[in-house]
Amino acid sequence: MSDNCDLENRTIEAIRHYRETLAVVDGLERKERSAHRALTRTMLELGRAIRGEDQRSLKDSIEIGLAAVSRQEEAWANLSEAAARLDSARLTVAALERQLGYIPKVPVVARDSSQLKEYRGSNP
């Protein structure tokens, strides 16, 4: 019985870790989308500067473009790493669930932190 309790506690902790990692990935996806939009805008501005349609100097546009590319690359690298951690966390939860035979109930703090929801798994 103690082994089952330990396994359930490990599964609950793995689920919490998965949820935390999922929240990180969600935030990084938003940052990556923002960086992508900034890069797209910058490329359009750079095109106008090259055609001479914009008063902004070409040098300034290039510097801004390089910064946008750097931001996009950093966001993509962070998102890729976090996605790998999320996949690892998912595999851990799945392995523990197979061993335990069910997913235990794990309280979820609501976004406003004033309410608790429960994850309802298939409890025997």
Side-chain angles (χ1 to χ4, degrees), residues 31-90:
K31 283 185 178 181
E32 193 277 332
R33 283 191 304 269
S34 173
H36 181 77
R37 284 191 302 271
L39 179 60
T40 301
R41 276 192 311 272
T42 301
M43 298 311 292
L44 292 172
E45 291 171 5
L46 183 58
R48 283 193 292 270
I50 289 171
R51 291 187 306 271
E53 298 172 7
D54 196 319
Q55 297 297 328
R56 205 148 131 204
S57 75
L58 184 58
K59 181 180 177 187
D60 288 345
S61 294
I62 290 171
E63 288 175 7
I64 292 169
L66 290 173
V69 167
S70 177
R71 182 176 163 214
Q72 172 73 27
E73 287 176 350
E74 181 181 348
W76 182 249
N78 290 339
L79 181 58
S80 295
E81 289 175 20
R85 289 191 306 272
L86 181 63
D87 192 47
S88 175
R90 180 191 60 81

Side-chain angles (χ1 to χ4, degrees), residues 12-28 82 85-86 89:
I12 289 169
E13 188 55 38
I15 291 169
R16 287 184 178 138
H17 176 70
Y18 176 83
R19 288 176 180 167
E20 291 168 3
T21 306
L22 183 60
V24 168
V25 168
D26 184 50
L28 289 171
R85 289 191 306 272
L86 181 63

